Amino acid sequence: MTMKVLFTGADGYIGTLLGPYLLQRGIEAVGLDTGFYRSGWLYPTNVPRPMILSKDIRSVTAEDLKGFDAIAHLAELSNDPLGQQDPGLTHEINHGGSVHLANLARKAGIKRFVYMSSCSVYGVGKPDQILDESSDVNPQTAYAECKVKVENDLSKMAGDDFEPCFLRNATAYGASPRQRFDIVLNDLCGLAWTTKKIKLLSDGSPWRPLVHALDMCQAVHLSLTAPADAIRGQKYNVGSSDQNYRVIEIAQIVAKEFPGCELEVGTQGADNRSYRVNFDKIQTVLPDFKCQWTAELGAKQMRKVFESINMTAEDFQAPPYTRLKMLMKLRGAHLLDEKLFWKTPELATV
């Protein structure tokens, strides 16, 4: 029988890729998204896209979940600066909304629940430490704190009637029609293309594990279709151990891919997040998982996209492609209330 999957965050950076990815692999995918970033579409595609329900995860009802076999949950306020703007609201949406959705799923008899967590739960690692799933978590931001809280709460729900799993994704990169330029490799590619200069505000010494958006889609698909005993209650890092990079290394990779780009390195910055991650466990949980992308291939992909659309600085700086900028714009226009609900339902479909 065809698996029917509801995936949240369907109009986001990853979700826009995940929908077609699942459809192409025989999954009946239906999306859900509140529509904050729907006005952005960086480049054309000709792949079939799933039906999408316009709804906030906090407003999902049991009726919305009828007929689904599984849920892949991506929809949350999705980066650290955004979360720090209003930590209380971040917890309400990212933690409260996610637990609400999981409880409804369980009551609806939906067993499989794939949760997109993050390697940011590790926070700050010791200089020579390589972190794995048995390492202590050390979240540094409201965004990361919520990931830990959701993992903990949903883990307690795991049993014969509920199969949550937790994908601790490395920092994403790569092209998507609903692009994000507020994550490190993508941002540096945009700077290299539009200004011919990468100026690091720090010395570039912090470590960041990276994973391409399409490899994240691969992990979601395999998590949806894996045997229950393999994934139930499991937390596993998504990425590859050879893609732990210092920020300076990411900048050098990008500068090399964009001819004529100048690289300028700053001094040690205030951001203390630095961690290297081990990705061995995912090979045990999902034996078929293998990253298809590297930072070099991702930078090359981004350059080809920019060339194909003749991307301008205005495109690069457009609000839909930077999470905090877009939400501030919607709030400033009085389209969203103080809790980030649309003031009228019709606005969500714009």
Side-chain angles (χ1 to χ4, degrees):
M1 292 178 62
T2 301
M3 175 183 279
K4 187 174 182 181
V5 174
L6 178 71
F7 68 106
T8 68
D11 279 329
Y13 170 60
I14 305 297
T16 302
L17 299 173
L18 180 61
Y21 190 98
L22 295 178
L23 291 176
Q24 290 164 4
R25 286 155 181 80
I27 302 255
E28 184 181 348
V30 176
L32 181 143
D33 198 289
T34 194
F36 293 153
Y37 313 109
R38 200 167 280 159
S39 62
W41 195 260
L42 187 65
Y43 60 88
T45 63
N46 59 1
V47 296
R49 299 188 67 230
M51 181 184 78
I52 296 175
L53 173 66
S54 292
K55 202 158 195 177
D56 192 293
I57 59 167
R58 294 168 290 176
S59 302
V60 171
T61 66
E63 185 70 21
D64 295 324
L65 302 186
K66 279 188 176 179
F68 288 101
D69 302 303
I71 292 175
H73 179 37
L74 290 68
E76 292 181 343
L77 296 181
S78 55
N79 72 352
D80 292 321
L82 181 57
Q84 295 304 97
Q85 281 283 311
D86 190 337
L89 183 57
T90 298
H91 281 264
E92 179 183 318
I93 295 173
N94 290 13
H95 176 228
S98 297
V99 173
H100 165 71
L101 182 64
N103 279 321
L104 283 181
R106 191 180 183 189
K107 290 175 183 176
I110 299 173
K111 289 187 174 184
R112 189 65 54 99
F113 194 98
V114 177
Y115 177 66
M116 294 294 261
S117 189
S118 169
C119 282
S120 66
V121 300
Y122 298 119
V124 181
K126 297 175 183 177
D128 297 323
Q129 187 178 20
I130 298 180
L131 300 155
D132 63 22
E133 295 81 358
S134 66
S135 302
D136 291 337
V137 295
N138 186 18
Q140 301 293 300
T141 62
Y143 171 78
E145 289 168 2
C146 288
K147 294 296 188 188
V148 173
K149 291 173 75 173
V150 174
E151 288 184 2
N152 290 342
D153 287 350
L154 270 60
S155 292
K156 296 171 187 174
M157 296 163 61
D160 291 340
D161 65 338
F162 194 59
E163 303 160 2
C165 58
F166 311 97
L167 281 60
R168 289 181 173 174
N169 296 285
T171 299
Y173 67 91
S176 167
R178 287 208 167 90
Q179 190 62 38
R180 283 186 63 181
F181 286 124
D182 52 5
I183 42 184
V184 59
L185 186 143
N186 295 356
D187 178 37
L188 297 179
C189 287
L191 288 170
W193 175 260
T194 58
T195 70
K196 299 292 186 184
K197 185 172 185 176
I198 294 173
K199 184 176 181 180
L200 294 183
L201 299 179
S202 72
D203 61 1
S205 61
W207 287 94
R208 291 287 187 278
L210 299 185
V211 64
H212 194 280
L214 286 172
D215 286 326
M216 294 168 69
C217 293
Q218 178 195 169
V220 172
H221 173 249
L222 292 173
S223 298
L224 287 167
T225 56
D229 289 343
I231 61 91
R232 186 190 294 109
Q234 293 294 322
K235 305 175 181 74
Y236 40 99
N237 300 326
V238 177
S240 58
S241 295
D242 59 357
Q243 290 193 66
N244 284 292
Y245 301 96
R246 290 189 184 275
V247 172
I248 183 64
E249 293 170 340
I250 302 171
Q252 290 166 343
I253 288 168
V254 171
K256 184 178 179 181
E257 185 56 42
F258 288 79
C261 178
E262 182 182 336
L263 174 59
E264 182 179 319
V265 181
T267 57
Q268 187 170 357
D271 187 349
N272 65 345
R273 293 171 303 154
S274 180
Y275 47 91
R276 283 183 289 173
V277 177
N278 176 281
F279 294 91
D280 290 347
K281 182 177 178 178
I282 194 172
Q283 297 297 321
T284 301
V285 178
L286 306 174
D288 292 334
F289 178 81
K290 180 176 175 58
C291 284
Q292 305 297 314
W293 292 81
T294 63
E296 289 83 358
L297 291 174
K300 188 181 296 292
Q301 179 197 33
M302 297 289 284
R303 180 177 57 79
K304 287 180 178 178
V305 166
F306 299 163
E307 289 174 347
S308 70
I309 64 171
N310 194 23
M311 191 181 81
T312 65
E314 185 179 5
D315 295 327
F316 174 51
Q317 295 162 6
Y321 308 127
T322 298
R323 293 296 177 252
L324 179 58
K325 193 184 293 186
M326 188 62 196
L327 284 187
M328 296 298 284
K329 178 182 178 180
L330 292 172
R331 268 184 160 174
H334 305 292
L335 299 176
L336 299 174
D337 66 18
E338 69 281 357
K339 294 291 188 180
L340 297 185
F341 285 108
W342 293 99
K343 289 193 173 181
T344 59
E346 294 79 14
L347 294 172
T349 60
V350 173

